[in-house]
Amino acid sequence: MKVLVTGVTGRIGNNLARHLVELGYDVRGTVLPDDPGLNRAITDGVECISGNLRDDQFCRNAVDGCQAVVHLGAVLLFGPEDNPANFDDNLRSTFNLLDASARAGTIERFVFASSDEVYPSLYARYLPIDENHPKQPYSFYGFTKLAGEELAQHYFRAHQLPVAIARFALTVEPWEVLDPSRPLGNFLHLSSMVPIIRGRAGDEVAESIAVQQVGSAPTLLLARDGSGTPYQFHYCDVRDLVSGLKLLLEKPAAIGEAFNLSGPAPFSYDTAVAIVAERTGREIVDATIPGPPIRIHHSTAKARGLLGYAPQHDIRSTVEAALQAQTK
């Protein structure tokens, strides 16, 4: 089977493409002109084509000869000034690719990468968040993902395009958990949590946390709500996400459905920061933060039950993999 993977040089695309090639799939990937990840993708055995998914002819060329599409290509931007780029790169590109796939007549599966931003997870009405949770995105990025889901479902209904939708939790490569500037790492370290706290609890609280930084080394933050309960977070190690995408690509039960793809369970901050501190020697600041806490928990029961999804990598597994990568 020949699979088109858009966004093939990104965190998820690179890992998925390499895995599919190892399994014997013929993988084609889309890359932007002058993409710095091009050589790595070619080395991994991916046939790369250069262009922009905003171009409908490029999309038709990209799907030509393919039997499946995994549409990962998107921009992840959150400011109002970024809305035009979000619209063009996320919505227009998704339309172009869906339309090209429907016209090709050869596509046996179209997997669309959505996001837990469609709920959104940081403002959940109930936990765990299942696929029936109300969809009320606060960000325009989240809106483009929800609109992309609707486009995909339209092509499923109107054109019988066999689509499957994956709603990603925050997804990380293991090394990112130790870096305050990267996804997940930014939720565990004091310096990178200050702006998040500022937005949720105000300037005074944020500044009171900021001054507790210990030295110049990364300092961990054990964040608690007003009652003293540690924050809770649910993420997905990219290794688990790749296994989930493969199931959406192959399982007939995935067609026409949307699935949460997240890790095996949420972690409590007291557990996570203790693990990172134990393995790195980093200091911990324990802080009680008024206002709405971070409390994220996704249900993966649907993906487990219908697809056999079985995520393996919890916070300890991710941290251990990050440390192993540092020694290579």
Side-chain angles (χ1 to χ4, degrees):
M1 175 183 281
K2 187 160 194 168
V3 182
L4 174 69
V5 178
T6 68
V8 76
T9 61
R11 173 194 298 108
I12 299 166
N14 172 251
N15 283 279
L16 175 65
R18 186 170 59 250
H19 182 64
L20 292 177
V21 169
E22 290 170 353
L23 293 175
Y25 283 83
D26 186 2
V27 179
R28 174 185 291 165
T30 64
V31 298
L32 291 169
D34 302 319
D35 192 313
L38 173 61
N39 289 336
R40 181 177 62 176
I42 293 173
T43 300
D44 287 340
V46 177
E47 174 203 347
C48 293
I49 57 171
S50 178
N52 197 306
L53 297 172
R54 296 181 183 185
D55 181 347
D56 56 354
Q57 183 60 55
F58 174 70
C59 289
R60 288 193 290 270
N61 294 341
V63 303
D64 184 42
C66 293
Q67 289 75 52
V69 176
V70 182
H71 180 32
L72 303 172
V75 297
L76 190 64
L77 302 170
F78 287 99
E81 68 279 3
D82 298 316
N83 289 351
N86 274 312
F87 183 89
D88 285 334
D89 286 307
N90 296 352
L91 264 180
R92 187 174 300 281
S93 296
T94 296
F95 166 75
N96 286 343
L97 201 61
L98 284 163
D99 195 61
S101 297
R103 292 174 184 273
T106 61
I107 302 302
E108 300 169 15
R109 190 67 51 89
F110 187 107
V111 178
F112 174 66
S114 187
S115 166
D116 70 329
E117 277 283 313
V118 302
Y119 297 122
S121 290
L122 279 171
Y123 300 94
R125 291 192 177 186
Y126 61 81
L127 298 175
I129 302 165
D130 60 21
E131 289 82 358
N132 294 319
H133 188 284
K135 315 303 182 296
Q136 296 177 327
Y138 280 66
S139 66
F140 193 78
Y141 167 78
F143 165 76
T144 65
K145 286 301 182 181
L146 183 57
E149 288 191 20
E150 291 297 328
L151 277 171
Q153 291 289 12
H154 168 76
Y155 273 87
F156 172 59
R157 294 188 299 267
H159 301 281
Q160 294 74 57
L161 185 67
V163 305
I165 295 167
R167 292 180 185 144
F168 298 171
L170 178 73
T171 302
V172 300
E173 290 188 314
W175 67 272
E176 294 177 293
V177 72
L178 303 180
D179 187 338
S181 70
R182 300 297 298 177
L184 188 56
N186 66 329
F187 280 97
L188 296 177
H189 289 86
L190 187 151
S191 61
S192 46
M193 275 292 288
V194 167
I196 297 170
I197 294 168
R198 192 183 308 279
R200 297 175 74 85
D203 291 340
E204 184 176 348
V205 174
E207 292 308 316
S208 72
I209 300 296
V211 297
Q212 298 182 57
Q213 169 75 30
V214 181
S216 59
T219 299
L220 294 159
L221 178 67
L222 201 177
R224 303 177 185 270
D225 65 19
S227 69
T229 302
Y231 282 14
Q232 175 181 278
F233 204 92
H234 205 170
Y235 74 102
C236 194
D237 188 299
V238 72
R239 295 169 291 178
D240 284 327
L241 188 63
V242 164
S243 72
L245 288 171
K246 180 175 175 289
L247 292 169
L248 265 70
L249 191 61
E250 296 177 342
K251 295 287 187 177
I255 295 174
E257 299 288 342
F259 299 90
N260 289 340
L261 294 182
S262 197
F267 64 75
S268 175
Y269 264 54
D270 55 345
T271 299
V273 299
I275 290 170
V276 177
E278 171 197 344
R279 301 295 284 117
T280 65
R282 294 177 184 177
E283 299 286 344
I284 299 173
V285 168
D286 192 323
T288 298
I289 302 166
I294 292 177
R295 194 87 70 223
I296 300 176
H297 183 186
H298 305 114
S299 170
T300 57
K302 183 178 179 181
R304 290 173 185 269
L306 291 182
L307 306 179
Y309 179 56
Q312 302 295 312
H313 299 289
D314 61 9
I315 187 66
R316 185 173 292 278
S317 171
T318 300
V319 170
E320 292 300 330
L323 292 167
Q324 289 174 19
Q326 286 184 344
T327 62
K328 291 181 179 178

